[in-house]
Amino acid sequence: MARLIPTYEIYGELLSGTLSDPIHLETIYERSSKLDWTIRLHRHSRLLQIFLFRTPSVKFRVGDGDHRTSEPLLLVVPPGTPHGFRFPEDINGDVLTIPETEIHPPVLDRLRQVTQPYAGFLAQSETPRFADVDALMRQLGAAYHSVGSEREALLRALSHAIVLTLIEELRRTAHIDAGHAGAELSRHEAQVQAFCELVEARFAETVTVEDYARVIGVSAPHLTRICKRILGIAPNELVRRRRMLEAKRLLTYTRLPVLDIAHRAGFGDAAFFSRTFKATFDVTPSEFRKRAD
């Protein structure tokens, strides 16, 4: 049987509530150091990812093609492409994640053209504007960790400049992966992805696992089995996690009363919400808000 490739938002995070900014930026060290320097094969259905490896000796797979870097490299991975990594412990680099919805359709079309069939590669020695992209990524990092009133506009402008520069450089070098994707969703993966999309749309409603299963066209036991096999968690747990993500977002970015946040996050009872939040994060909602201020 073909190996199942999980579909994530950010790696290891199944729900889009993890993305509260128009883009997401982190050092590769941040995430990989917590995962034994290994990011297993996965994909993102609606996210573009741009990897900047400033140090060599990164092993990675894109589609069915295996690679190892011998110099600094830019890797552009469009939505839907399976990819995985093994990083050296001294890795220096960044990963920029941009939702499709943040990219103008004509630009997204041009990007898809230069990353066909599966991904785009830009080695430092072959890319005249490699240093320019590196500088833009560093500026983006400074803006990402700032709190200025123009922060969101800066994030969008700088990420847009990075994407346009990469399109130009990829057109110049025409270095694209020639591997085989093996990326078609299996029937069960497609059902799980449909479930995740339904959860995103309806997590705040009173919807049972049976209701979700009925919409997808499967039985509740079947949905539970495939979620546990592909996602590693039961459907109810996925819904609970999405509600907790929404609660954290509202506690951090709004001044809504805890009662209102409980209802908006899908909890009919504020006391139950507080107990669940405390059990999940080891602090009450009010304590979490104070720490976030």
Side-chain angles (χ1 to χ4, degrees), residues 2 16 66 160 224:
S16 65
D66 292 315
H160 189 62
T224 298

Side-chain angles (χ1 to χ4, degrees), residues 162-230:
I162 289 169
V163 169
L164 292 178
T165 304
L166 289 172
I167 289 172
E168 287 300 310
E169 292 302 286
L170 285 166
R171 279 178 173 162
R172 188 197 317 275
T173 62
H175 244 222
I176 52 180
D177 182 33
H180 301 289
E184 289 299 316
L185 289 175
S186 73
R187 181 167 58 90
H188 289 172
E189 284 182 297
Q191 290 166 349
V192 168
Q193 185 163 321
F195 170 62
C196 288
E197 291 171 357
L198 278 174
V199 170
E200 190 60 39
R202 304 186 63 182
F203 67 87
E205 303 174 23
T206 305
V207 182
T208 66
V209 172
E210 288 75 14
D211 294 330
Y212 282 120
R214 192 177 304 111
V215 173
I216 297 168
V218 299
S219 69
H222 174 82
L223 180 59
T224 298
R225 280 195 303 274
I226 63 175
C227 281
K228 286 182 176 179
R229 181 159 57 91
I230 295 172

Side-chain angles (χ1 to χ4, degrees), residues 102-116:
E102 289 292 334
I103 305 172
H104 299 308
V107 175
L108 189 58
D109 287 343
R110 296 200 297 274
L111 183 70
R112 285 175 173 144
Q113 290 169 12
V114 296
T115 55
Q116 288 297 318

Side-chain angles (χ1 to χ4, degrees), residues 16 21 27 29 34 36 40 42 56 78-79 83 86 121 123 138 140 146 172 177 184 234 282:
S16 65
D21 287 315
T27 67
Y29 184 95
K34 301 170 186 174
D36 194 29
R40 299 188 184 281
H42 66 287
H83 53 290
R86 175 67 184 173
F121 298 82
R138 293 178 190 274
L140 184 64
S146 72
R172 188 197 317 275
D177 182 33
E184 289 299 316
D282 204 30

Side-chain angles (χ1 to χ4, degrees), residues 42-187:
H42 66 287
R43 61 181 151 216
H44 311 283
S45 61
R46 297 178 297 274
L47 302 176
L48 164 71
Q49 289 201 303
I50 297 164
F51 296 85
L52 170 56
F53 307 135
R54 296 188 180 91
T55 47
S57 301
V58 177
K59 297 178 182 178
F60 65 96
R61 167 167 286 203
V62 178
D64 285 341
D66 292 315
H67 309 269
R68 180 177 182 139
T69 65
S70 59
E71 62 175 308
L73 180 85
L74 282 157
L75 172 65
V76 184
V77 181
T81 298
H83 53 290
F85 303 91
R86 175 67 184 173
F87 297 108
E89 293 186 14
D90 63 347
I91 181 65
N92 181 345
D94 299 312
V95 54
L96 167 61
T97 302
I98 310 175
E100 278 187 343
T101 52
E102 289 292 334
I103 305 172
H104 299 308
V107 175
L108 189 58
D109 287 343
R110 296 200 297 274
L111 183 70
R112 285 175 173 144
Q113 290 169 12
V114 296
T115 55
Q116 288 297 318
Y118 307 120
F121 298 82
L122 291 167
Q124 184 180 46
S125 61
E126 301 173 348
T127 309
R129 298 188 64 190
F130 192 98
D132 294 343
V133 177
D134 191 350
L136 285 168
M137 290 283 271
R138 293 178 190 274
Q139 291 178 53
L140 184 64
Y144 191 77
H145 294 100
S146 72
V147 293
S149 61
E150 299 303 317
R151 176 179 177 276
E152 192 169 307
L154 274 171
L155 296 182
R156 286 194 166 96
L158 288 166
S159 59
H160 189 62
I162 289 169
V163 169
L164 292 178
T165 304
L166 289 172
I167 289 172
E168 287 300 310
E169 292 302 286
L170 285 166
R171 279 178 173 162
R172 188 197 317 275
T173 62
H175 244 222
I176 52 180
D177 182 33
H180 301 289
E184 289 299 316
L185 289 175
S186 73
R187 181 167 58 90

